[in-house]
Amino acid sequence: MDLEFLQTIDKQVLVGLAMTVFFLLIGTISFLIPRKPKVCLDTDNFKQFKLVKRAQLSHNVANFTFALPSPTSVLGLPIGQHISCRGKDSQGEEVIKPYTPTTLDSDVGHFQLMYPQGRMSHHFREMKVGDYLAVKGPKGRFKYQPGQVRAFGMLAGGSGITPMFQVARAILENPKDKTNVHLIYANVTSEDILLKEELDELASRYPDRFKIYYVLNQPPEEWNGGVGFVSKEMIETHCPAPASDIQILRCGPPPMNKAMAGHLEAIGYTSEMQFQF
């Protein structure tokens, strides 16, 4: 009887040990497998994000940092797409405008917007740290997969640099992506150049894959970039030639976009080789 009792106890101990080892293995595996970060955007509903930092970069340029719900949260914005921001203009009327963050989903816990122009500029000027911004998304037609083209040519004007910067940074910081990027960036004065420090850093870190050519309408005395408006000759010199495995992206004020479309057509870029944000 005692022997049967001991055998029963031994079986119970073995089962208990087996169950313990099993759950320990499950726990270890689940710990080692990286969890997908929580995505914060909602395509149908506006969500509120808190302004945690505001940095005035110049008299007309500021950088806004908004916190996500947790330090490991990501915005959930595909490369080259944008968000819709809701606010009020100077007359108190509701405004909804599209903006492209300068951050990627690799920048966890927050996202950043450069000082927006247009009717939303009043709303951003009035924002203080601790205020909330209503955002929804993602929005946009641009879809990117690493290696889908051999090279991008980019034509940007003013605040149109933000989607270009987002795409260029995502490409260059991906070690598996070998796409080359050629950017022409136009502004009125040198003080108007947004993200210049960040762009120059990318050019320094990836000299063989990222080329940038600045164009100013009113350049300073010491200036080695382009002068005037972006011309057909500038595009031919600083962008990849028309081919089935290249694409030209453009984003700028409407007059610039119209002029660039004319230049690109004259050079021989087909509509399939172009995309306008």
Side-chain angles (χ1 to χ4, degrees), residues 14 29 31 37 51 78 133 139 172 176 178 180 212 225:
L14 287 173
I29 292 170
F31 176 77
L51 178 65
L133 178 68
K139 306 284 185 180
L172 298 169
K176 296 180 180 180
K178 305 304 179 186
N180 292 324
I212 182 166

Side-chain angles (χ1 to χ4, degrees), residues 79-80 141-156 163-164 167-168 171 177 179-184 209-211 235 238-251 260 264-265 267-277:
I79 296 168
R141 298 175 292 112
F142 185 79
K143 298 185 186 303
Y144 180 69
Q145 293 294 326
Q148 73 181 41
V149 294
R150 171 173 51 86
F152 277 114
M154 296 180 171
L155 307 175
M164 307 300 190
V167 173
I171 290 171
D177 197 334
T179 308
N180 292 324
V181 180
H182 306 257
L183 169 65
I184 297 177
R209 297 181 54 217
F210 182 60
K211 308 292 184 183
I235 297 172
H238 297 283
C239 285
S244 59
D245 57 353
I246 70 97
Q247 190 171 36
I248 304 294
L249 310 179
R250 60 180 191 265
C251 187
M260 294 307 99
L264 293 173
E265 184 178 358
I267 295 170
Y269 296 96
T270 64
S271 58
E272 291 77 18
M273 299 176 196
Q274 303 178 47
F275 182 88
Q276 180 175 311
F277 286 101

Side-chain angles (χ1 to χ4, degrees), residues 20 55 74 76 118 165 257:
T20 301
V74 299
F165 176 72
N257 286 332

